[in-house]
Amino acid sequence: LTIALAGYIGMRASQITRLRQQVSALEAREVRRNADEAGVAVLRIKFPEKADVSSFVEGLYTLAQASGLENVEITTVDEHKARSSKKRGAQQDSATLLVPYRVKISCEGKYRILAQYLGRVHDVRRYNKVVSFDLKPGENTIKASIIVEIMSFEVQNAT
């Protein structure tokens, strides 16, 4: 009886050890999954599924007003040009695309105000890249022409 009981206890101990290892593996997998989900959430903010250019432009106007820029005009740049230039640079997967959209910001202000504005645009949570930045002297101010590119992650039906 003692030998049988010792064998039974040993078998149960090994089962408990194996189950604890499985629980640890599942917990590690859950931690990785949560980290992956958090990463996906950040990417969805940086590269939304819908372009929503108008919301981005509204944000640019708000930042311009907060920075103290004058004569601010923001327009969209021909999307076809932005897309064709992007396609030349890299191969794209047919099922998913990062689609670029460009906006042109024309404004006036002191150099420091323009620098603050660019810093604020850079700090926007959505991915954006300044692709063109031209300065010209004006009367007591600097005239700036800035082209900013944003991206949206668009899924297309695979054919």
Side-chain angles (χ1 to χ4, degrees):
L1 180 68
T2 311
I3 295 174
L5 187 57
Y8 178 76
I9 291 173
M11 180 184 71
R12 288 298 190 183
S14 67
Q15 285 178 341
I16 290 172
T17 302
R18 191 176 63 245
L19 288 172
R20 284 184 178 154
Q21 290 172 345
Q22 289 175 350
V23 167
S24 293
L26 287 172
E27 287 173 344
R29 209 177 298 156
E30 179 73 15
V31 167
R32 282 192 305 272
R33 186 179 65 80
N34 289 341
D36 290 346
E37 286 177 0
V40 167
V42 168
L43 286 174
R44 285 191 176 166
I45 291 170
K46 290 189 174 294
F47 304 100
E49 292 177 13
K50 294 184 180 181
D52 198 13
V53 176
S54 61
S55 177
F56 183 72
V57 168
E58 286 176 25
L60 292 175
Y61 272 116
T62 302
L63 293 175
Q65 185 178 21
S67 297
L69 290 175
E70 300 170 356
N71 301 326
V72 179
E73 182 180 321
I74 302 174
T75 57
T76 56
V77 176
D78 185 14
E79 292 177 23
H80 179 65
K81 288 181 185 176
R83 289 181 190 201
S84 63
S85 68
K86 197 65 171 176
K87 286 181 183 177
R88 282 183 302 219
Q91 276 209 346
Q92 297 181 345
D93 181 20
S94 62
T96 58
L97 296 173
L98 276 176
V99 180
Y101 297 90
R102 291 184 177 182
V103 294
K104 180 178 180 180
I105 307 162
S106 300
C107 57
E108 293 181 33
K110 302 278 185 195
Y111 181 79
R112 180 176 295 222
I113 292 172
L114 288 167
Q116 287 174 344
Y117 179 67
L118 283 177
R120 288 177 175 172
V121 170
H122 179 275
D123 292 342
V124 170
R125 291 180 65 186
R126 182 172 181 169
Y127 169 83
N128 67 78
K129 174 175 72 172
V130 175
V131 294
S132 173
F133 183 69
D134 296 316
L135 298 176
K136 294 180 183 172
E139 291 184 32
N140 299 324
T141 62
I142 298 173
K143 294 181 180 184
S145 176
I146 308 163
I147 297 179
V148 178
E149 184 174 77
I150 58 174
M151 302 267 191
S152 69
F153 182 73
E154 296 182 8
V155 179
Q156 298 180 344
N157 294 333
T159 54

